[in-house]
Amino acid sequence: MPSATIERALAMHKILGITRGVIVQTTTYGADHSVVLDGLKRAGPNYRGCANAILFATATDKELAALHEAGIRGARFSFRQELGVKLSRAEFDRAVAVMRELGWYAKIQPEKTGIIEGVEFYENLDIPVLIDHMARPDPDAGETDANLLKMTELLKRGNFWVMLSLTEKTSRQGPPWDDVMPIARRYIETAPQRCVWGSDWPHPISVKPPPNDAELMEFLFRCVPDEAERHSILVDNPRSCSDSNVDSF
């Protein structure tokens, strides 16, 4: 999305009152992290980055050190088969070993049908793991959804986080996405200290006009009326996940 520049992102952040953030490497950019590195340079010290884990197939120790120096603190593993960037089991294990040395966290992009597909790759990891998009549960399935149950189980292990994001694509009802609220509340009540929020801007691969990011934040405020709880989700928790075992953020 060539119009989704770092300048536009920072302008949106200013409007919403966001002063810190994590820039995530888009899956389709593969191992070329030049856009994220440029974004980190322009955004300044209050921002961190999350790489695409595909880089571990080719990156040298020197290149990894440069990414860490620039502010990269994690790597995203995609389990979306249609995107064609899923690592083999051996490649995954090698990547995790390197991340453990770097002090990075693993970010998981689940398949559209949820984390049940592929969870065996990462459910026993001993490094911090952040699951994207609420683990892609089905709101219509309610509390019996297998992805919801597995994510709830993982949250109890202590090193798993969940991102309260992709509200608009998870919902079956559409705005204001009330059918997603019980899912968010289930996670928050299970592990309020390991839930984080993300807008998913600029909302790639959207088949409908993307939502206003202010409305997505308003959804969070409706889910989390308690100010102290919101502060944890928006400030303390992402700082803890993004910089576990490394310098403070």
Side-chain angles (χ1 to χ4, degrees), residues 24-234:
V24 182
Q25 168 81 344
T26 302
T27 302
T28 50
Y29 281 173
D32 181 359
H33 287 72
S34 56
V35 170
V36 166
L37 293 176
D38 179 68
L40 288 171
K41 184 177 180 180
R42 293 170 183 263
N46 277 358
Y47 285 75
R48 294 288 186 267
C50 181
N52 184 338
I54 198 72
L55 72 90
F56 290 106
T58 58
T60 65
D61 290 345
K62 182 178 180 180
E63 289 169 335
L64 290 171
L67 290 173
H68 189 88
E69 179 66 23
I72 300 291
R73 291 295 183 269
R76 191 186 200 208
F77 295 87
S78 177
F79 285 81
R80 292 281 300 278
Q81 296 285 351
E82 64 188 299
L83 298 179
V85 292
K86 183 179 177 181
L87 300 179
S88 69
R89 179 81 234 195
E91 291 171 331
F92 181 91
D93 291 342
R94 285 197 298 270
V96 169
V98 176
M99 293 169 66
R100 188 179 293 110
E101 293 181 6
L102 290 168
W104 288 8
Y105 68 96
K107 195 169 192 282
I108 305 298
Q109 180 187 33
E111 183 56 274
K112 288 187 290 186
T113 52
I115 62 170
I116 291 301
E117 290 192 49
V119 71
E120 68 276 3
F121 268 71
Y122 53 83
E123 63 179 331
N124 294 315
L125 291 182
D126 58 357
I127 65 174
V129 182
L130 172 63
I131 308 295
D132 276 349
H133 307 331
M134 291 184 275
R136 297 296 293 254
D138 179 0
D140 289 343
E143 294 187 358
T144 64
D145 182 84
N147 299 295
L148 176 70
L149 294 173
K150 173 57 73 171
M151 189 68 250
T152 303
E153 174 196 326
L154 294 175
L155 283 172
K156 296 176 181 178
R157 298 191 182 186
N159 65 312
F160 278 82
W161 277 256
V162 65
M163 180 166 282
L164 306 177
S165 60
L166 212 71
T167 304
E168 75 281 7
K169 293 179 183 176
T170 301
S171 176
R172 302 293 187 267
Q173 297 178 1
W177 316 299
D178 287 342
D179 56 330
V180 182
M181 192 174 296
I183 297 170
R185 284 306 313 171
R186 173 71 172 270
Y187 296 150
I188 294 166
E189 290 165 6
T190 300
Q193 73 280 19
R194 288 192 302 282
C195 294
V196 302
W197 178 82
S199 73
D200 199 42
W201 187 91
H203 311 287
I205 320 179
S206 294
V207 296
K208 298 178 181 179
N212 184 311
D213 292 87
E215 293 177 358
L216 291 173
M217 181 167 278
E218 177 61 27
F219 171 79
L220 176 71
F221 272 57
R222 289 194 293 117
C223 286
V224 192
D226 182 77
E227 184 176 352
E229 206 168 55
R230 285 200 308 267
H231 189 274
S232 292
I233 293 170
L234 291 170

